[in-house]
Amino acid sequence: MRIARFSVREGSPAAGSVSFGVVEGDAARPDSLVVHALAGHPFGPPQLSGESFRMQDVRLLAPMLPNKIVAVGRNYAAHAAELGNEVPDVPLTFFKPSTAVVGPTESIAYPPFSSDVQHEAELAVVIGRMCREVPLERVPEVILGYTCANDVTARDVQQREGQWARAKGFDTSCPLGPWIETELDPSDLAITCTVNGELRQTGRTSLMVRSIPELIAHISEAMTLLPGDVVLTGTPAGVGPLSIGDEVAVSVEGIGTLTNKVIKRG
């Protein structure tokens, strides 16, 4: 099941309303896509409201507005090596604030305090229920689904400041979308990133140093995860610079493509 969060475009009696919905149709044929609105939130058995919209009549938003985003660094050995880093002995985690989130087709605003903003294509895990100290074997029970993410990073700031709050937490630094796929085996999925159509990153989730169950168990050992929280699972090798005017697209096999344009912060 594909769960989206969307607003209705002008021209409809429901214009401006924001809802969750179930997306049906062939993602390769956008004109075939229909969004069936949910009566409430997606954390439980889905209940349809009875309203349906053609995809061209809605605007997809970030599929979730998380309470927190917990990200994992250096979870692909080749990416750690390309930046001259070792794979850490334990998962390297950090936070991105909820204000960093933008949705598909929304802009990434290039921060004025950086001159080296880079893309990082990732698989994101969306938590489906409140949980803490989750055993490895029960991790699938607490996952709502998966979506595409771009852990946009001000690399020069990250290196200069030595901690990552500003470098990875600036506004618009966490594009998510286009929707949440709830029925997916994440163990061996292709991840790619293109910039202006040029392939920059390609990898597979099977190359993660630590698996999704390991990451969720490790993170939940320290903190309670809430419904809608997002875990970013690390990026494959091939990260590189973005410039104002670029269009960056992150694709994850079985989910879809998240596309954003880079603009100058106004």
Side-chain angles (χ1 to χ4, degrees):
M1 182 184 298
R2 292 172 295 195
I3 297 175
R5 182 171 156 269
F6 67 96
S7 64
V8 182
R9 297 186 187 275
E10 295 298 327
S12 165
S17 63
V18 175
S19 305
F20 288 101
V22 176
V23 179
E24 291 187 343
D26 182 356
R29 293 178 49 242
D31 60 334
S32 75
L33 296 177
V34 177
V35 185
H36 304 288
L38 293 176
H41 61 69
F43 306 113
Q47 296 185 351
L48 299 178
S49 71
E51 289 189 293
S52 297
F53 304 91
R54 299 179 304 168
M55 184 60 74
Q56 54 263 45
D57 294 331
V58 305
R59 182 168 72 92
L60 292 182
L61 307 173
M64 195 60 63
L65 290 180
N67 173 272
K68 57 184 171 292
I69 303 138
V70 187
V72 180
R74 303 173 192 170
N75 199 33
Y76 289 78
H79 168 60
E82 73 178 343
L83 296 182
N85 298 312
E86 299 289 335
V87 173
D89 293 334
V90 296
L92 176 62
T93 56
F94 58 93
F95 292 108
K96 292 172 83 81
S98 59
T99 48
V101 173
V102 291
T105 75
E106 292 188 79
S107 298
I108 298 167
Y110 205 112
F113 53 83
S114 173
S115 59
D116 186 15
V117 171
Q118 299 190 4
H119 56 80
E120 295 192 9
E122 308 204 8
L123 173 68
V125 182
V126 182
I127 300 298
R129 53 183 278 196
M130 185 169 70
C131 58
R132 181 166 60 92
E133 298 179 353
V134 184
L136 281 172
E137 66 275 11
R138 298 194 64 182
V139 165
E141 298 175 25
V142 307
I143 293 175
L144 174 65
Y146 306 88
T147 192
C148 307
N150 193 344
D151 176 20
V152 184
T153 302
R155 191 73 65 201
D156 51 349
V157 177
Q158 181 186 27
Q159 295 169 345
R160 182 170 65 243
E161 296 187 354
Q163 53 79 35
W164 301 0
R166 296 206 316 151
K168 287 179 171 285
F170 61 87
D171 290 353
T172 74
S173 66
C174 190
L176 297 174
W179 41 61
I180 300 165
E181 176 56 67
T182 65
E183 299 172 15
L184 188 69
D185 178 357
S187 59
D188 186 27
L189 302 174
I191 300 177
T192 62
C193 178
T194 64
V195 177
N196 303 324
E198 174 192 353
L199 183 64
R200 291 278 191 87
Q201 289 183 267
T202 182
R204 303 196 68 87
T205 57
S206 55
L207 297 175
M208 288 182 185
V209 176
R210 294 176 180 88
S211 67
I212 288 170
E214 290 175 288
L215 297 178
I216 301 299
H218 177 77
I219 292 165
S220 68
E221 186 179 42
M223 69 192 73
T224 299
L225 294 173
L226 301 176
D229 281 351
V230 170
V231 175
L232 305 187
T233 58
T235 193
V239 300
L242 293 170
S243 300
I244 292 169
D246 283 347
E247 183 176 83
V248 56
V250 173
S251 297
V252 179
E253 181 182 2
I255 300 175
T257 299
L258 166 68
T259 303
N260 304 90
K261 192 163 184 178
V262 184
I263 64 170
K264 181 179 180 179
R265 182 187 286 185

